[in-house]
Amino acid sequence: MNPFATFLVGATILLMLLIYVGTAVHKTKRITGTLLIALTAFASLYTVDALGIKLGIDLQGGSEFIVKLEPGKNEDGTPRAVTSSDVQQAIGILEKRLSPDGSKDLALQPEGADRVVIQMPGISADEVKDVRDKIQQVAHLEFRRVHPDGRAKLEQIKARGGIKEPGWMEMQYRVPETAKDGTVLAISELVRDMPDLEGDVVAKTYRIVDAEGNKVVLELNSEGAKRFDELAAVHYQHQMAIIVDGFIHSAPSLRAKNYGGRAEISGGSKGFTPQEADTLATLLNNPLRNPMVILSESSVSSAYGQSSIDQGKWVGIAALVITTLFMFFIYRLAGFVAIIGLVINMAILFGAMSLFGFTLTMPGIAGLVLTIGMAVDANVLIYERLREEMEAGKSLAAALDAAYEKAFSAIADSNITTLISAVILFMISGGLVKGFAVTLMIGLLSSMVGALIVTRVIFIWIVDKNILKKIHTTKIIPDKIFDILSAAPKFIIASLVVTAISFATLAVKGKSSLGIDFRGGGRVDVVLKTGKNITDGEFDAVFKGLKQPDGKELGTYYIQRKSDPTTGALNLSIRCEEKSGPVIQGAITGKWKDDTLAGTSIATVGGVIGDEAMTTSLIAMGIALIAIFAYLMMRYEFAFALGAIIALFHDVLMVPGLCVLFGQEMSIIHVGALLTIAGYSINDTIVVFDRIRETIQGGSGGSMRELMNEAICKTLSRTLLTGPTALAPMVVLLFLGNPAMLEFAMPITIGVLLGTYSSIFIASPLVLWYAKKTGTSLKRQVLDAQIEQMKAQQAIAAAAAAGGKA
């Protein structure tokens, strides 16, 4: 897109927004708002069409690796700490190794002080093993002289109990030899304990094929050629070992005194395959200063990614349809207006993601679905206020003005608390979960536009053109005051029991309640073609006798099954040990082909990453709760803030144990869900507290208990309606989503239900209890705060007036 055009459109949208917010004239507001909405929607759709939306590895297929650089060694053999230049050198080398001709879609970026994130979209499962080898192999090349009587000396060393020959060391060949009886023998040579030449003298390497098979040719630079010839002249007819990463590849005899700056590496007794020779040549051309270990790996086949996209589309459509039907049933024409706002909201969300190059991931799709429910929540708050204002005898125009004005505070507070959690999630998360945080943040902002501007402009047109005089809604809760607070002790006891069950579940399950994100391990996901099935017995037969790359047993594994309700296809999830994951995936793709498999994905996480993820998650939860509490302290009196944060703890602490009780394992996705719950479940509590303060400020008589009961009952309809609007999309995810979406949907569903419950039966009773225990006069505090606010507004108005006169 043209940068000038983008800037011009953005500036125009901003100018229109300022005019819209600044004017009180209906005609100006109506016309400016209409142009603002039309331009924003058109620009968003055009941007999506022109730039498209960047898909994550889990949706388009490919692999992501997180690798850690290990300390290198100085010339004297002492450890050398990893520096930023080492990380940048590793990134440059990896780029050359993984895409020698620059044709592959490759993204490498540093993470922390000693890590690199590697993303390779579109690579096939067959290429992943080669990529894994290229990442982990340092390709440290050395030339060392072989002891002329090495084999005999090795026997003597063994005979005298391992006492070494001064100046020499034992080193094994890369490929063991097989005896006539089938016994595999590890062959060693006695070589110099210090290299005679190192890889820095090599100028170029490449593969050749001759009568002996595939070989790797080393072309030395001028200094290397000179030093090699000097060695060859002195040690003529003796062996020279060519060593890569501590293993001898070949040890040819020096049959000439002048080699002209060229040497060859053969593959030993078994020789090189063409791919092995090409890979070794590439690695030797690009050696690393530091060894690297893979901390985590995630690979998804393109077919599996497309399956997730198709599933995401159906989930989104189903969520939109259910939400539309619900809004039509409750609010009729006003519900149709809300859906128009929702559609514009989604257009802005996709446009922003496309314009700023954000990546859409599978958790991001879940975030989009959640946005549908959250966007409609704001309309529910407005419409319930509208119904109350019209029942009070106001005209449609006056009722609309009052509804939008009075609902704004609750909408802003609830979105800000959720935004706090989303920002923290964005800062602490990486990879796929960050995609959820991005869609959640953009969705929160775009939903404010949809609810407060789009629907408002439509209603201005309706009022100004006398299209409607009254808006009809379905009333689900009668206008009656219930003594809800009298039942609070029973519900608090019930909450304590459920919390105890939740904690007991986590205690009994222990580490088994944690998924691979936290305790390390591997997970292979397999989607079968519709009508196909693979039994556990068939898997056992294929996996029998398999070993991890380091020769250890495959270890324990277990298989979970879930049927896709939309297609009937089976989704299989195989949990296993970390290093068993690639082996299991390779066995599956080797045994069953495209007529059975629709796609596969693999994720492996090392213990280091798991421990760090657990620590980071706990810190993030703590920061989020403290930040939300601080915001509530600024907006509300201490008693209200305390009641809200305890209710929030109640919601967040229950969810993990209940998810585990229902068969889930805790993962990073659950952390994202918990942070979302932390921001979102407090919404209903804020609505109730806003009404309590409003009731007090309105001068209503009665005790604090009576005022609280009145406020809870007046907002009961709102509280019970915002729950279903958020729950409907999550229920769709529960039944139609794939396993990753299910991991997100279940905690959100539980959290929304708990948030609705706690706002009625936990938060307000706690506020009243605290006020009684401490002798706090909530009425006095609220009225004093109102007076201070009015004084501040008067001061601002006076300052503005004085500035105008000047």
Side-chain angles (χ1 to χ4, degrees):
M1 289 180 66
N2 188 309
F4 178 75
T6 303
F7 172 77
L8 187 62
V9 172
T12 304
I13 290 173
L14 180 60
L15 179 62
M16 287 182 176
L17 180 61
L18 291 174
I19 295 172
Y20 175 84
V21 173
T23 185
V25 180
H26 259 216
K27 184 176 180 181
T28 306
K29 210 173 191 70
R30 186 179 72 222
I31 295 173
T32 305
T34 303
L35 292 174
L36 172 65
I37 294 166
L39 179 59
T40 305
F42 174 78
S44 298
L45 295 174
Y46 178 80
T47 303
V48 173
D49 182 63
L51 301 180
I53 294 179
K54 185 180 177 184
L55 299 179
I57 294 292
D58 58 338
L59 294 180
Q60 65 171 311
S63 294
E64 177 180 274
F65 299 86
I66 298 178
V67 300
K68 179 181 179 182
L69 275 69
E70 296 289 316
K73 289 186 178 180
N74 295 310
E75 291 184 2
D76 60 359
T78 58
R80 178 174 55 82
V82 177
T83 64
S84 58
S85 64
D86 290 332
V87 174
Q88 293 302 321
Q89 187 258 1
I91 289 175
I93 294 302
L94 286 171
E95 190 167 358
K96 293 175 183 176
R97 284 186 176 188
L98 300 176
S99 182
D101 56 0
S103 62
K104 291 189 179 296
D105 187 4
L106 178 66
L108 298 103
Q109 57 185 11
E111 183 179 81
D114 58 359
R115 294 180 187 177
V116 178
V117 178
I118 306 166
Q119 291 183 327
M120 298 190 70
I123 66 169
S124 66
D126 295 335
E127 295 176 285
V128 172
K129 183 181 182 302
D130 184 49
V131 169
R132 201 180 291 123
D133 292 340
K134 287 179 178 178
I135 289 172
Q136 292 184 302
Q137 192 163 348
V138 176
H140 182 209
L141 175 67
E142 298 173 329
F143 296 87
R144 299 191 190 211
R145 283 171 285 152
V146 178
H147 196 289
D149 195 20
R151 299 291 173 90
K153 286 288 183 184
L154 286 173
E155 293 297 327
Q156 292 176 12
I157 290 171
K158 290 178 182 177
R160 60 180 183 238
I163 299 175
K164 296 180 180 179
E165 189 80 6
W168 300 86
M169 63 180 292
E170 182 180 1
M171 189 171 288
Q172 288 186 350
Y173 278 87
R174 178 184 71 94
V175 180
E177 290 187 2
T178 303
K180 292 181 180 180
D181 61 357
T183 305
V184 178
L185 304 173
I187 306 300
S188 301
E189 293 283 7
L190 193 63
V191 299
R192 294 295 298 173
D193 59 0
M194 294 290 288
D196 294 292
L197 284 176
E198 293 194 75
D200 56 357
V201 301
V202 176
K204 183 181 179 182
T205 64
Y206 52 89
R207 174 175 67 93
I208 64 168
V209 182
D210 61 16
E212 295 179 2
N214 293 284
K215 295 181 178 179
V216 176
V217 174
L218 309 175
E219 290 188 359
L220 310 181
N221 58 27
S222 57
E223 181 190 352
K226 178 184 175 184
R227 290 170 60 189
F228 194 88
D229 285 347
E230 289 173 353
L231 285 169
V234 174
H235 302 286
Y236 178 64
Q237 296 292 354
H238 292 166
Q239 286 179 285
M240 177 69 74
I242 303 175
I243 300 159
V244 179
D245 290 340
F247 288 93
I248 300 172
H249 275 250
S250 58
S253 295
L254 299 172
R255 300 186 184 281
K257 296 182 179 182
N258 189 329
Y259 280 85
R262 176 185 166 113
E264 294 178 354
I265 305 177
S266 65
S269 59
K270 293 186 178 180
F272 285 127
T273 65
Q275 183 178 0
E276 287 174 335
D278 283 333
T279 298
L280 180 58
T282 300
L283 295 176
L284 292 176
N285 274 325
N286 304 285
L288 287 165
R289 288 203 297 256
N290 299 75
M292 287 196 294
V293 292
I294 297 175
L295 297 180
S296 72
E297 173 189 344
S298 175
S299 297
V300 179
S301 69
S302 57
Y304 188 89
Q306 186 59 50
S307 170
S308 298
I309 293 173
D310 294 340
Q311 210 164 27
K313 289 177 182 177
W314 281 111
V315 167
I317 291 171
L320 188 59
V321 168
I322 291 174
T323 303
T324 301
L325 292 174
F326 178 82
M327 293 300 289
F328 270 131
F329 174 73
I330 300 295
Y331 298 112
R332 303 175 197 180
L333 178 63
F336 177 71
V337 173
I339 296 303
I340 294 175
L342 176 59
V343 172
I344 300 294
N345 164 30
M346 299 304 290
I348 294 172
L349 195 159
F350 282 115
M353 291 193 68
S354 179
L355 179 63
F356 296 109
F358 293 128
T359 301
L360 180 63
T361 63
M362 199 183 304
I365 291 177
L368 291 173
V369 174
L370 178 62
T371 298
I372 293 174
M374 295 178 66
V376 172
D377 272 4
N379 291 111
V380 171
L381 294 177
I382 294 168
Y383 291 168
E384 287 299 303
R385 274 288 188 179
L386 176 62
R387 182 178 59 79
E388 290 178 21
E389 298 296 333
M390 292 192 70
E391 286 177 353
K394 292 184 179 179
S395 66
L396 178 58
L400 282 168
D401 288 338
Y404 276 90
E405 181 183 348
K406 291 181 178 179
F408 178 79
S409 174
I411 293 172
D413 285 339
S414 59
N415 277 275
I416 289 171
T417 53
T418 309
L419 190 62
I420 289 171
S421 296
V423 169
I424 292 171
L425 179 60
F426 179 82
M427 292 172 65
I428 65 104
S429 66
L432 305 181
V433 181
K434 184 165 284 189
F436 166 72
V438 167
T439 55
L440 185 59
M441 286 190 294
I442 299 174
L444 286 169
L445 298 175
S446 61
S447 66
M448 294 279 282
V449 174
L452 298 177
I453 296 180
V454 177
T455 60
R456 186 74 179 100
V457 169
I458 294 173
F459 279 124
I460 291 175
W461 277 100
I462 290 173
V463 169
D464 288 356
K465 297 302 179 181
N466 289 318
I467 297 173
L468 284 176
K469 298 282 186 185
K470 190 174 182 181
I471 290 179
H472 299 278
T473 62
T474 302
K475 198 170 185 179
I476 63 169
I477 302 294
D479 291 330
K480 185 179 178 182
I481 305 300
F482 304 98
D483 188 8
I484 290 177
L485 292 178
S486 64
K490 298 176 184 176
F491 286 103
I492 290 175
I493 292 172
S495 290
L496 291 174
V497 171
V498 175
T499 304
I501 293 172
S502 175
F503 282 11
T505 302
L506 293 175
V508 171
K509 289 277 189 178
K511 277 201 167 185
S512 63
S513 66
L514 303 177
I516 66 170
D517 292 343
F518 294 129
R519 60 183 168 89
R523 186 186 72 231
V524 179
D525 290 319
V526 182
V527 178
L528 303 182
K529 290 284 181 72
T530 302
K532 297 293 184 178
N533 185 27
I534 302 175
T535 65
D536 289 1
E538 289 177 291
F539 279 125
D540 293 340
V542 172
F543 299 159
K544 186 177 180 180
L546 293 179
K547 294 185 181 295
Q548 297 179 5
D550 56 6
K552 293 181 181 178
E553 295 296 325
L554 198 62
T556 57
Y557 59 87
Y558 61 95
I559 304 166
Q560 293 177 317
R561 298 170 179 269
K562 183 178 183 293
S563 180
D564 185 342
T566 57
T567 63
L570 276 176
N571 292 329
L572 310 177
S573 184
I574 304 171
R575 307 297 175 103
C576 57
E577 294 182 11
E578 177 192 350
K579 294 183 179 179
S580 299
V583 178
I584 287 176
Q585 185 191 36
I588 291 172
T589 55
K591 172 68 175 178
W592 293 282
K593 304 303 178 184
D594 293 344
D595 60 337
T596 302
L597 303 179
T600 63
S601 74
I602 180 175
T604 62
V605 177
V608 173
I609 289 283
D611 292 341
E612 289 179 358
M614 175 64 76
T615 303
T616 304
S617 299
L618 293 174
I619 292 173
M621 286 301 304
I623 293 173
L625 292 172
I626 292 170
I628 291 172
F629 182 64
Y631 177 77
L632 292 172
M633 282 292 295
M634 290 192 304
R635 289 284 292 117
Y636 295 93
E637 294 70 28
F638 180 77
F640 288 108
L642 182 64
I645 206 69
I646 292 176
L648 183 55
F649 268 102
H650 163 276
D651 301 341
V652 171
L653 293 177
M654 272 195 193
V655 170
L658 293 177
C659 286
V660 172
L661 186 64
F662 293 139
Q664 289 195 327
E665 293 179 340
M666 298 303 294
S667 67
I668 289 292
I669 291 178
H670 283 83
V671 175
L674 288 174
L675 285 170
T676 305
I677 293 166
Y680 180 75
S681 71
I682 206 168
N683 291 5
D684 289 329
T685 304
I686 286 173
V687 171
V688 174
F689 286 179
D690 269 354
R691 178 51 68 93
I692 293 172
R693 297 171 80 195
E694 183 183 326
T695 304
I696 294 172
Q697 291 167 357
S700 299
S703 66
M704 197 65 211
R705 183 190 190 89
E706 290 170 342
L707 292 177
M708 282 189 163
N709 272 323
E710 180 184 346
I712 293 171
C713 291
K714 282 188 176 180
T715 56
L716 196 56
S717 175
R718 212 165 310 173
T719 302
L720 296 179
L721 285 174
T722 52
T725 55
L727 279 177
M730 292 300 100
V731 172
V732 171
L733 278 180
L734 276 175
F735 288 99
L736 300 183
N738 60 24
M741 293 180 184
L742 181 64
E743 282 187 354
F744 173 84
M746 183 175 288
I748 289 288
T749 301
I750 296 171
V752 170
L753 289 171
L754 288 174
T756 303
Y757 159 80
S758 65
S759 67
I760 301 171
F761 299 110
I762 303 296
S764 296
L766 286 174
V767 173
L768 185 62
W769 172 83
Y770 175 83
K772 285 183 176 180
K773 283 291 182 183
T774 59
T776 303
S777 173
L778 289 177
K779 283 186 179 182
R780 185 71 268 154
Q781 286 187 349
V782 170
L783 292 173
D784 287 345
Q786 184 186 24
I787 293 170
E788 290 298 322
Q789 186 179 6
M790 291 174 63
K791 286 181 179 179
Q793 290 173 347
Q794 289 171 357
I796 293 170
K805 289 178 181 179

